[in-house]
Amino acid sequence: MADIKTFFLPDLGEGLPDATVVEWHVKEGDTIKLDAPLVSMETAKAVVDVPSPYSGTVKKLHGATGDIIETGAALADFEIDPNARQRAEAESTGHHHGPKKGVGSPATDDPSKVVASDDGGEIDPPKASADREDEGTVVGAMVSGNAVHTEQVSSAGGVKAVPAVRAAAKKLKVDLTRVQPTGAGGVITMQDVKNAAANGSAAVGAAPARPAAAQHLAPTLPEPGPAPTRTPVSLAGKAVRTAPPGKEAMGQPEQLKGVRRNMARVMADAHAQVVPTTLVDDADLHAWIGKQDITARLIRAIVVACKTVPALNAWFNGKDLTRTLHPHVDIGIAVDTEDGLFVPALRNADVLDGAGIRAAIKRLRTSVEDRSIPASELSGYTISLSNFGMFAGRYATPVVVPPTVAIIGAGKLSHDVVAVMGGIEVHRRMPLSLTFDHRAATGGEAARFLKAMIDDLGLPN
């Protein structure tokens, strides 16, 4: 009798609840060796190559390209090869396979007891099981589940590809509209992009290839006829697709995935937990001498304000009502991408000079855009900055994501008429918005924090 093993999607090390299938490296019926590449999975933070946990034959793949598979759900079935090398039972794979053994999970040695803490130890189980604690993600915290969601690969400009493939194409300067897809349903895979980059057949900016016959023959146009009637609903009253599969169909449901999926969950969670209050004011930059780095000045002003009012450079735990004040300043910089919101951490901003700040922000932004940023740089910041004014807008109510206590929003610079002694002048000013969690800080602390920022931004240098 064949020995069939089911491989469950492991916890990929980030405490994330699910991942999206980017590309299978095998198909059903293929023979695979232990630790050979099995599948590339996109989490909210990165694209992870998952190796095969067995040597044998792939019997079933649980999910197609673009499917969302939750942590602990079945990923693939294998028929084990008894003559090939297999991983020993106690040998680590580098991932946690199946549901995570957290606090309250059954102990390995004695199932009648449960794990006492993340550091180990066993105790008798409680009468009622506690809810699983949330774990960090791109912009906050989420939990794990055990289901598979099927979704359409995102389409834009007539091209079907997952966000990770689009990011790779951007990094390799490959024009996706000129790549020949090999994936199921006309989906462009990661290998398609790599091949196009290697042979230069789809370089960005290159003239599109023209068939030889088309160089000599005029195209044959179809006879005009009555246009088919398209309606947004079927005879049963349900929404139907009114655009070709290769195009985005507006007005129809599309399941969120990856970064945008996490963003939706985390923002809703933040809205449910935080008691937000926003203060707004303007910083007068009229005294600035020469051209200065606005972002570096903003970072310095936040650092000064954090040292002046430490209550806003803090974490707050609403469950046990504890507050942690931080002696260092790690600033979460909101980075907007096509896939959703990333918040990488600018570490030790309180010890960086202007050049160091600019270099660090450039590195973070580049690693976010090509999806190479490590998970460790997407969490642990002590306060946040949203520089939305680089696009538009003067004031905002940015969202505080627990456990942080405050976030600063910098609006678009403007030239305003200002009253001065003896008349009026036109000064360049920066609108500032400060949202804070009123559970953890008072209005007076927030106002003094904002004043400290305004005072520092008003200095000449």
Side-chain angles (χ1 to χ4, degrees), residues 130-202:
D131 292 336
R132 176 187 170 121
E133 291 293 324
D134 288 348
E135 301 181 65
T137 65
V138 172
V139 289
M142 295 167 55
V143 296
S144 294
N146 298 293
V148 179
H149 302 281
T150 302
E151 64 174 356
Q152 293 289 334
V153 175
S154 63
S155 299
V159 173
K160 293 197 290 184
V162 297
V165 172
R166 294 181 185 278
K170 183 176 181 181
K171 182 179 180 181
L172 297 174
K173 293 181 170 50
V174 170
D175 183 355
L176 286 177
T177 62
R178 305 182 65 238
V179 175
Q180 183 67 34
T182 62
V187 175
I188 296 177
T189 68
M190 189 70 74
Q191 191 59 47
D192 294 337
V193 171
K194 292 178 180 178
N195 291 341
N199 59 35
S201 61

Side-chain angles (χ1 to χ4, degrees), residues 284 286 416-427:
D284 195 320
H286 188 65
D416 301 332
V417 176
V418 177
V420 297
M421 291 295 293
I424 60 173
E425 294 179 354
V426 176
H427 289 190

Side-chain angles (χ1 to χ4, degrees), residues 347-363:
R347 304 292 184 193
N348 301 311
D350 49 321
V351 298
L352 295 176
D353 59 11
I357 290 172
R358 175 51 59 191
I361 290 178
K362 182 179 180 181
R363 177 183 59 82

Side-chain angles (χ1 to χ4, degrees), residues 62 216 221 236 247 249 271 273 321 392 403 417 429-430 436 455:
H62 294 274
H216 306 286
L221 299 179
K247 302 286 185 180
H271 178 73
Q273 291 187 38
L321 299 181
V417 176
R429 301 202 300 176
M430 178 189 294
F436 65 99
D455 290 346

Side-chain angles (χ1 to χ4, degrees), residues 123-418:
I123 59 174
D124 291 328
K127 294 182 180 179
S129 60
D131 292 336
R132 176 187 170 121
E133 291 293 324
D134 288 348
E135 301 181 65
T137 65
V138 172
V139 289
M142 295 167 55
V143 296
S144 294
N146 298 293
V148 179
H149 302 281
T150 302
E151 64 174 356
Q152 293 289 334
V153 175
S154 63
S155 299
V159 173
K160 293 197 290 184
V162 297
V165 172
R166 294 181 185 278
K170 183 176 181 181
K171 182 179 180 181
L172 297 174
K173 293 181 170 50
V174 170
D175 183 355
L176 286 177
T177 62
R178 305 182 65 238
V179 175
Q180 183 67 34
T182 62
V187 175
I188 296 177
T189 68
M190 189 70 74
Q191 191 59 47
D192 294 337
V193 171
K194 292 178 180 178
N195 291 341
N199 59 35
S201 61
V204 172
R210 188 180 180 186
Q215 296 177 7
H216 306 286
L217 300 176
T220 302
L221 299 179
E223 290 296 326
T229 302
R230 297 181 181 269
T231 60
V233 296
S234 67
L235 294 177
K238 295 184 178 180
V240 297
R241 174 173 283 277
T242 56
K247 302 286 185 180
E248 286 188 346
M250 295 300 205
Q252 300 187 32
E254 179 183 2
Q255 191 172 59
L256 300 182
K257 59 184 176 180
V259 181
R260 195 172 295 275
R261 183 182 181 89
N262 276 359
M263 181 182 69
R265 288 168 168 168
V266 171
M267 290 301 167
D269 185 60
H271 178 73
Q273 291 187 38
V274 175
V275 181
T277 304
T278 302
L279 299 178
V280 299
D281 208 334
D282 297 286
D284 195 320
L285 314 183
H286 188 65
W288 283 19
I289 299 176
K291 185 177 181 180
Q292 298 193 37
D293 189 322
I294 295 176
T295 301
R297 286 295 302 265
L298 258 176
I299 297 296
R300 191 187 77 170
I302 293 174
V303 169
V304 169
C306 287
K307 300 300 182 182
T308 305
V309 187
L312 273 70
N313 185 48
W315 289 345
F316 179 72
N317 187 323
K319 292 183 179 180
D320 56 15
L321 299 181
T322 59
R323 182 180 69 166
T324 303
L325 304 181
H326 297 286
H328 59 282
V329 181
D330 290 350
I331 302 177
I333 309 292
V335 177
D336 178 66
T337 73
E338 291 182 358
D339 298 330
L341 178 66
F342 284 81
V343 187
L346 177 63
R347 304 292 184 193
N348 301 311
D350 49 321
V351 298
L352 295 176
D353 59 11
I357 290 172
R358 175 51 59 191
I361 290 178
K362 182 179 180 181
R363 177 183 59 82
L364 290 174
R365 184 174 293 278
T366 300
S367 59
V368 163
E369 290 176 349
D370 61 22
R371 298 298 291 273
S372 64
I373 188 166
S376 60
E377 294 194 19
L378 290 167
S379 61
Y381 44 86
T382 61
I383 194 168
S384 302
L385 168 65
S386 174
N387 193 9
F388 62 86
M390 63 187 299
F391 302 114
R394 289 178 62 83
Y395 307 104
T397 54
V399 178
V400 176
V401 176
T404 58
V405 170
I407 179 172
I408 297 93
K412 185 176 182 180
L413 298 180
S414 62
H415 289 84
D416 301 332
V417 176
V418 177

